[in-house]
Amino acid sequence: MALYYNLGSLYEKYHNDTQLVQEYLTVFCKEASKMLKKMKLEIDDKKHDEVRKLVLKIQPSLEFLGIDEAFEEGNSILEWVNRTGKKKEVKEIYKVFKLHVKNATKELKKDFSIQKKQG
């Protein structure tokens, strides 16, 4: 049983097509890592609009994959963006957000044998 995600919505959307689910998860795992790195840089540079774009880009997938904790942390990051808050206000929220996303992607990679592309 998965600890960090719930794929019920994904299987429903793709009519239990395991190949489509596998492809979606592979793309998500690859892109999530890139987005987390970019989000960290944008937070460090206090680029609130760029952070907003990244959160809004990843949140639908988080919700779709049942990564609820990260979704909620994403909402907290958006609140920070809307307040044009100071960097130190969001650092801990981002750390927790990143942890939830990383835990889910790590579990997905293990459960679905998703590997990094070689070379």
Side-chain angles (χ1 to χ4, degrees):
M1 175 155 181
L3 296 175
Y4 299 107
Y5 64 86
N6 179 341
L7 301 182
S9 296
L10 187 63
Y11 278 108
E12 185 177 323
K13 178 172 176 60
Y14 291 130
H15 305 290
N16 293 317
D17 185 326
T18 56
Q19 183 176 351
L20 284 175
V21 169
Q22 179 80 25
E23 289 173 16
Y24 184 94
L25 295 175
T26 300
V27 170
F28 172 77
C29 289
K30 178 181 171 188
E31 294 301 314
S33 179
K34 290 178 187 177
M35 283 191 272
L36 288 172
K37 289 175 187 170
K38 186 167 182 179
M39 189 180 300
K40 169 83 168 90
L41 294 173
E42 302 298 7
I43 288 171
D44 288 345
D45 291 341
K46 298 182 220 168
K47 293 183 179 178
H48 293 83
D49 288 338
E50 295 302 315
V51 173
R52 176 195 322 273
K53 288 176 189 174
L54 289 166
V55 172
L56 293 175
K57 185 176 179 180
I58 197 170
Q59 268 196 320
S61 292
L62 297 176
E63 186 173 32
F64 201 43
L65 298 175
I67 308 172
D68 299 330
E69 295 86 359
F71 184 85
E72 293 304 320
E73 296 301 331
N75 286 337
S76 296
I77 294 171
L78 288 175
E79 289 172 15
W80 171 80
V81 167
N82 291 335
R83 288 192 317 272
T84 322
K86 298 182 188 234
K87 184 169 61 170
K88 69 178 183 180
E89 296 171 346
V90 78
K91 284 184 101 166
E92 287 304 312
I93 297 169
Y94 171 77
K95 284 181 187 177
V96 174
F97 175 80
K98 179 181 173 182
L99 178 66
H100 289 307
V101 174
K102 288 218 174 241
N103 284 342
T105 55
K106 183 178 179 181
E107 187 176 30
L108 286 165
K109 286 176 182 179
K110 179 179 174 268
D111 293 351
F112 289 87
S113 301
I114 299 169
Q115 298 176 4
K116 291 183 179 183
K117 281 192 171 182
Q118 300 295 323

